[in-house]
Amino acid sequence: FFQQGVKNKRSAFHYPAIASCSKKSFNLRTVILRKVLREDRVLFFYTDYRSNKVQEIKNNNLVLLHVYDKKNNIQIQAKGKAKIIYKEKLNQIIWSSMSDHSKLAYMFEKAPDSKITNKIDLGYLKEEEGFKNFTIIKMKVNKITFLKLNYHGNQKALFEYTNKTFNYFWLVP
């Protein structure tokens, strides 16, 4: 499911929601799935280093990813640990391959969620300064809950991964 979500912008798996936890609350936001390493159970997303989710992941790297695919009546929740990839060679490689339009998301003068006086009061950084904000989130999945909604009976399964073992169980939906 996740692999087709990388390229297919019409797929629900292209726009999963990822939850992280601050000291005061849980936070959920939609991200864009950028890359999947299926055999390694790794998912990649991009974000601004100044965003709240980066600090939340630094404080608690446990994250939950949620996708609801209405077309196929499937809900997936993936739990795992996230790692912040910042100012590494991979960041430069990906940044160099991005369109100018995509780079704009990291080139605002102010950090995400900063208050502004009006919606056009954004201000932009130069590209090299924007690159300093570009961050990759790498999520290693260790548990997936799969729910298939069906008129004739829902089906639910749990897939658990540890270092070298894989187990799955059917669950009561």
Side-chain angles (χ1 to χ4, degrees):
F1 296 108
F2 289 109
Q3 284 181 303
Q4 58 86 26
V6 173
K7 301 242 185 246
N8 182 359
K9 292 181 180 182
R10 293 181 183 212
S11 167
F13 289 85
H14 188 68
Y15 303 101
I18 190 167
S20 56
C21 185
S22 70
K23 292 180 181 179
K24 296 180 181 181
S25 67
F26 294 97
N27 294 298
L28 182 68
R29 73 277 285 165
T30 302
V31 294
I32 297 174
L33 182 60
R34 298 297 184 169
K35 185 174 181 177
V36 173
L37 299 177
R38 183 176 179 196
E39 298 301 316
D40 297 327
R41 301 182 329 272
V42 174
L43 308 174
F44 293 88
F45 313 95
Y46 304 157
T47 194
D48 190 309
Y49 187 77
R50 303 167 296 173
S51 70
N52 293 332
K53 74 175 95 46
V54 169
Q55 191 58 49
E56 291 167 4
I57 290 170
K58 283 181 174 183
N59 292 333
N60 180 353
N61 68 347
L62 296 176
V63 293
L64 176 69
L65 180 131
H66 177 88
V67 176
Y68 177 66
D69 181 350
K70 183 177 181 179
K71 179 181 175 186
N72 295 302
N73 291 326
I74 294 171
Q75 174 183 282
I76 301 258
Q77 290 187 340
K79 294 181 182 176
K81 292 185 177 182
K83 178 183 176 188
I84 304 298
I85 300 173
Y86 180 62
K87 291 187 176 180
E88 294 184 20
K89 187 176 183 178
L90 180 61
N91 296 75
Q92 183 61 57
I93 291 168
I94 293 171
W95 181 262
S96 297
S97 70
M98 290 171 63
S99 69
D100 290 341
H101 177 74
S102 294
K103 290 177 182 178
L104 282 177
Y106 310 97
M107 294 172 56
F108 295 117
E109 287 178 352
K110 295 182 180 183
D113 295 326
S114 296
K115 292 182 180 174
I116 54 178
T117 55
N118 61 59
K119 64 183 180 183
I120 58 172
D121 183 28
L122 295 175
Y124 288 94
L125 301 167
K126 293 185 179 188
E127 184 175 330
E128 50 276 5
E129 291 299 310
F131 169 69
K132 293 177 184 177
N133 300 323
F134 177 67
T135 306
I136 302 164
I137 296 176
K138 176 182 175 182
M139 178 185 176
K140 175 80 170 189
V141 175
N142 56 36
K143 188 182 287 188
I144 294 175
T145 305
F146 172 90
L147 176 64
K148 171 70 173 168
L149 301 171
N150 188 306
Y151 176 78
H152 300 290
N154 299 334
Q155 296 176 338
K156 191 173 189 178
L158 174 66
F159 302 89
E160 292 181 312
Y161 307 89
T162 56
N163 291 335
K164 295 184 180 182
T165 62
F166 164 72
N167 294 301
Y168 71 93
F169 311 92
W170 287 107
L171 302 174
V172 176

